[in-house]
Amino acid sequence: MEKIRIAIAGYGNLGRGVESALAHTPDMELVGVFTRRDPASLHTQTGVPVYKMEDAPAKAGEIDVMILCGGSANDLPTQTPDLARWYNVVDSFDTHAKIPQHFENVDKAAKESGRLAIISVGWDPGLFSLNRCYGQAVLPQGSDYTFWGKGVSQGHSDAIRRIPGVADARQYTIPVEAALAQVRSGAEPTLTTREKHTRQCFVVAKDGADTSAIETAIKTMPNYFDEYDTTVHFISQEELDRDHKGIPHGGMVFRTGKTGLQGENRHIIEYKLTLDSNPEFTSSVLTAYARAAFRLSKEGHTGCKTVLDIAPSYLHPLSGSELRKTLL
Amino acid sequence: MEKIRIAIAGYGNLGRGVESALAHTPDMELVGVFTRRDPASLHTQTGVPVYKMEDAPAKAGEIDVMILCGGSANDLPTQTPDLARWYNVVDSFDTHAKIPQHFENVDKAAKESGRLAIISVGWDPGLFSLNRCYGQAVLPQGSDYTFWGKGVSQGHSDAIRRIPGVADARQYTIPVEAALAQVRSGAEPTLTTREKHTRQCFVVAKDGADTSAIETAIKTMPNYFDEYDTTVHFISQEELDRDHKGIPHGGMVFRTGKTGLQGENRHIIEYKLTLDSNPEFTSSVLTAYARAAFRLSKEGHTGCKTVLDIAPSYLHPLSGSELRKTLL
């Protein structure tokens, strides 16, 4: 069997996650990592070669799919369309409001080069988006609910770290049990932001910092915390490193709705993820969609797609007839 | 907007469910019901016209998709390939072991006629199959679990009714909470049939029947009950009609697995359905896939497909750009 040749662009948590996912994926192999750092300074977990990002175009003939593992704020908006000029690409662009523009940019580049791109792959956007789509299609008379957590929000943790007097911080987003119970009852409640999630912060204050001022700054921070019930715990750096080192996350997508001429029957669809490592799970989703990108490109498809445009069988290593026999 | 013209073949619970689903689906309309009964004897819920099954070929120009609502044992094995000679068709064929053969038969007929067929649509096979596929693709190192219930098994209820002395019966399949807890812990347990589900039977005995003999006959029935812990409750016909009239069902598909070079992180994917009406929910899934059949046929696709071969966006009434804006 000819293996699908994969490269990684960007070697942070996500890139390392793709590297370890590929170590357990017999039909694919990792052939290189591209970085903007000095390649000599970077040692991969599996010893795979490291190249300069500028050398990516020269390697185009040796790589079937490039998995982009950079950030949505600064890397992917330019990197994905740039690399789509040379490669089939998969990214995890997750700035929801900017997805339509990113799609257009990547679609144009990939159509011009005759490559296949899949953007916004992961779990939200990604598997959660799929479930919103299936849920709405199957229960058109109903309501959507998405809950996140319990899990670490990097964005909120970063926001706390920017407050004067804060040395380090970790923020957990936690779904409110009472809200979950209402949704699971099928009652289709209307829930405010405050009713759906709470925010729990573990903060390391600098020596002599005013902890009460820090707590107020957190709880009143617009957009990030002011609409939530937030608890703040001051702990030592040792405690933070010992108890809050992981990057767990997860959440739930619900579609609840009615069927019957008079809407007499209720149905509840719940999709729930409980993840020990947010970046490693996202990497695993990226890896599965890289298989789809390769196959779609082989079939002659070009341009940009999202998870909504890709049939599930493209993600799975087995053939159509094997899937029908074992999964249906 | 031109509506998608749908017809129903077979007017039982499933056919009535499709009829009510279409009443809430603005981009589709029901144009007729086909039946093997005398059309004059059949009064539809919405007053839609009823035709003889033999007249189906003559109506081919007036209908975009035929949704087959017959049974998997006797109707669909011949009806789906027969009707695929004239129509784009969608069925809910659910005899898992016979799906590959049914696929081949329908594929041949639909390719010859240039029509598009989608088979085995519903929730299992159907939405559960999708989740098994996505789960295995995303977490290749892991385990699958499917639980059914709490819900009514028609097959098991029918099996009890065939026992001498039984007037009526209703059987519930119930997942074992301890097994669910083990799976949700991520421990990837090995579970026997008995450990996963229990069976609860409500039985109306005929006057003078030997209830103890009936109970033994149920509990020792091969394949249906002998591998399960089964409880049998004798009740009156009035109680059965009052308390066990509904057809609820549901269940869960889990994929639990590990990521990381050493498998150091655990992840749990749970997809859960809680359905007031098994046939109405199945009908809603059929209706969404009829939209996909119409669109795929418009694009020039022919032959047989399953839910695994169809991208989620085909099920949803909104356009690709609207979906990217609202669901990703």
Side-chain angles (χ1 to χ4, degrees):
Chain A
M1 186 182 63
E2 196 94 32
K3 291 193 179 195
I4 305 172
R5 298 165 302 172
I6 305 289
I8 292 168
Y11 196 68
N13 281 336
L14 219 49
R16 280 191 293 272
V18 171
E19 184 183 19
S20 64
L22 288 168
H24 301 293
T25 312
D27 62 331
M28 308 168 93
E29 61 177 333
L30 179 60
V31 297
V33 169
F34 289 85
T35 180
R36 285 175 308 188
R37 293 181 259 173
D38 172 12
S41 74
L42 200 156
H43 298 282
T44 60
Q45 303 170 99
T46 58
V48 72
V50 184
Y51 305 105
K52 280 195 227 176
M53 196 69 88
E54 305 92 270
D55 296 337
K59 298 272 177 193
E62 301 161 35
I63 293 157
D64 295 312
V65 184
M66 179 78 82
I67 302 181
L68 281 76
C69 296
S72 296
N74 302 312
D75 304 323
L76 301 176
T78 54
Q79 260 181 16
T80 312
D82 281 354
L83 285 167
R85 293 167 55 211
W86 308 98
Y87 290 97
N88 299 316
V89 294
V90 180
D91 83 15
S92 65
F93 186 78
D94 66 358
T95 313
H96 292 262
K98 295 183 179 171
I99 288 173
Q101 184 58 56
H102 187 57
F103 181 91
E104 296 303 328
N105 298 344
V106 175
D107 192 50
K108 185 166 179 292
K111 278 193 177 135
E112 282 171 11
S113 67
R115 306 288 173 173
L116 194 286
I118 311 176
I119 61 159
S120 301
V121 172
W123 58 275
D124 195 1
L127 302 179
F128 274 18
S129 319
L130 293 178
N131 277 280
R132 289 189 277 263
C133 184
Y134 283 120
Q136 289 187 4
V138 164
L139 292 176
Q141 298 209 290
S143 302
D144 283 331
Y145 300 91
T146 301
F147 290 86
W148 295 274
K150 181 182 177 177
V152 173
S153 166
Q154 302 284 9
H156 288 79
S157 301
D158 291 344
I160 297 172
R161 284 192 208 100
R162 287 191 293 265
I163 295 172
V166 171
D168 204 350
R170 184 60 51 109
Q171 194 267 184
Y172 295 95
T173 306
I174 304 171
V176 175
E177 283 298 331
L180 289 176
Q182 275 188 279
V183 171
R184 287 188 177 123
S185 78
E188 298 192 39
T190 302
L191 297 166
T192 64
T193 298
R194 191 177 300 275
E195 285 168 336
K196 287 182 70 186
H197 296 93
T198 57
R199 297 199 177 278
Q200 187 178 33
C201 312
F202 294 90
V203 182
V204 180
K206 288 181 182 161
D207 279 350
D210 179 349
T211 56
S212 144
I214 292 171
E215 182 163 347
T216 302
I218 295 172
K219 290 184 172 176
T220 59
M221 195 185 299
N223 303 317
Y224 283 86
F225 292 99
D226 63 339
E227 291 181 63
Y228 298 86
D229 290 334
T230 301
T231 54
V232 178
H233 307 276
F234 288 95
I235 60 175
S236 68
Q237 186 72 52
E238 291 67 37
E239 286 171 310
L240 192 83
D241 293 342
R242 186 190 65 207
D243 302 333
H244 303 284
K245 223 182 123 186
I247 319 174
H249 218 314
M252 289 140 271
V253 170
F254 291 91
R255 180 73 179 177
T256 72
K258 292 172 179 175
T259 63
L261 276 180
Q262 266 69 52
E264 52 271 43
N265 287 306
R266 280 184 182 170
H267 308 281
I268 298 148
I269 306 175
E270 175 175 354
Y271 182 77
K272 182 177 183 183
L273 296 177
T274 310
L275 312 175
D276 268 2
S277 165
N278 182 356
E280 275 185 13
F281 187 78
T282 300
S283 299
S284 293
V285 183
L286 282 165
T287 302
Y289 277 92
R291 181 181 292 118
F294 172 75
R295 291 171 169 180
L296 286 161
S297 172
K298 276 265 181 193
E299 290 179 6
H301 295 277
T302 66
C304 190
K305 292 183 181 288
T306 77
V307 297
L308 302 175
D309 306 313
I310 293 170
S313 59
Y314 281 94
L315 309 182
H316 200 291
L318 292 182
S319 71
S321 71
E322 288 169 312
L323 292 177
R324 284 191 291 278
K325 206 184 295 178
T326 58
L327 296 188
L328 274 176
Chain B
M1 187 182 62
E2 196 93 33
K3 293 193 180 197
I4 305 171
R5 299 164 302 172
I6 305 288
I8 291 168
Y11 197 68
N13 281 336
L14 218 49
R16 281 191 293 273
V18 170
E19 184 183 20
S20 64
L22 288 167
H24 301 294
T25 311
D27 63 330
M28 307 168 94
E29 61 177 333
L30 179 61
V31 297
V33 168
F34 290 86
T35 180
R36 284 173 309 188
R37 293 181 259 174
D38 172 11
S41 74
L42 199 157
H43 299 282
T44 59
Q45 304 170 100
T46 58
V48 71
V50 183
Y51 306 105
K52 282 195 227 176
M53 195 69 87
E54 307 91 90
D55 296 338
K59 297 271 177 196
E62 301 162 35
I63 292 159
D64 295 312
V65 184
M66 180 77 82
I67 301 181
L68 280 78
C69 298
S72 296
N74 301 313
D75 303 324
L76 302 176
T78 53
Q79 260 182 16
T80 311
D82 281 355
L83 286 167
R85 293 166 56 210
W86 308 98
Y87 291 96
N88 299 316
V89 294
V90 180
D91 83 16
S92 64
F93 186 78
D94 66 358
T95 312
H96 293 262
K98 294 182 179 170
I99 288 173
Q101 184 59 57
H102 187 57
F103 181 91
E104 296 303 327
N105 298 343
V106 176
D107 191 51
K108 185 168 180 292
K111 278 195 176 133
E112 282 172 11
S113 68
R115 305 289 173 172
L116 193 287
I118 311 178
I119 61 159
S120 301
V121 172
W123 59 275
D124 195 2
L127 302 180
F128 274 18
S129 319
L130 293 179
N131 277 279
R132 288 189 277 263
C133 184
Y134 283 121
Q136 289 186 5
V138 164
L139 292 176
Q141 297 209 288
S143 303
D144 282 329
Y145 300 90
T146 300
F147 290 86
W148 294 275
K150 180 182 176 176
V152 172
S153 165
Q154 302 284 11
H156 288 79
S157 301
D158 290 344
I160 298 172
R161 283 191 209 100
R162 287 192 293 265
I163 295 171
V166 171
D168 203 349
R170 184 60 51 110
Q171 193 268 181
Y172 295 95
T173 306
I174 305 172
V176 175
E177 282 300 330
L180 289 177
Q182 276 188 278
V183 171
R184 288 186 177 125
S185 77
E188 299 192 43
T190 302
L191 297 166
T192 64
T193 298
R194 191 176 301 277
E195 285 168 337
K196 287 182 71 186
H197 296 93
T198 56
R199 298 198 175 280
Q200 187 178 34
C201 313
F202 294 90
V203 182
V204 181
K206 289 180 182 162
D207 279 351
D210 178 349
T211 57
S212 142
I214 291 171
E215 182 163 345
T216 301
I218 294 172
K219 290 185 172 177
T220 59
M221 195 185 296
N223 302 317
Y224 284 87
F225 292 99
D226 62 339
E227 292 181 62
Y228 298 86
D229 289 333
T230 301
T231 53
V232 178
H233 307 275
F234 288 94
I235 61 176
S236 69
Q237 186 73 52
E238 292 67 38
E239 287 171 309
L240 192 82
D241 294 343
R242 185 190 68 207
D243 302 333
H244 304 282
K245 223 182 123 187
I247 319 175
H249 219 314
M252 288 139 272
V253 170
F254 291 91
R255 179 73 179 178
T256 72
K258 292 174 179 173
T259 63
L261 276 181
Q262 265 69 52
E264 53 270 43
N265 287 306
R266 280 183 180 171
H267 308 281
I268 298 148
I269 306 175
E270 175 174 354
Y271 182 78
K272 182 177 183 181
L273 296 177
T274 310
L275 312 174
D276 268 4
S277 165
N278 182 357
E280 275 185 12
F281 187 78
T282 300
S283 300
S284 293
V285 183
L286 282 165
T287 302
Y289 276 92
R291 182 182 291 118
F294 173 74
R295 290 171 169 182
L296 286 161
S297 172
K298 276 265 179 192
E299 290 178 6
H301 296 275
T302 66
C304 189
K305 293 184 180 289
T306 76
V307 297
L308 302 175
D309 306 313
I310 293 170
S313 59
Y314 281 93
L315 309 182
H316 200 291
L318 292 182
S319 71
S321 70
E322 288 169 312
L323 291 178
R324 283 191 292 277
K325 206 184 296 177
T326 57
L327 295 189
L328 273 176

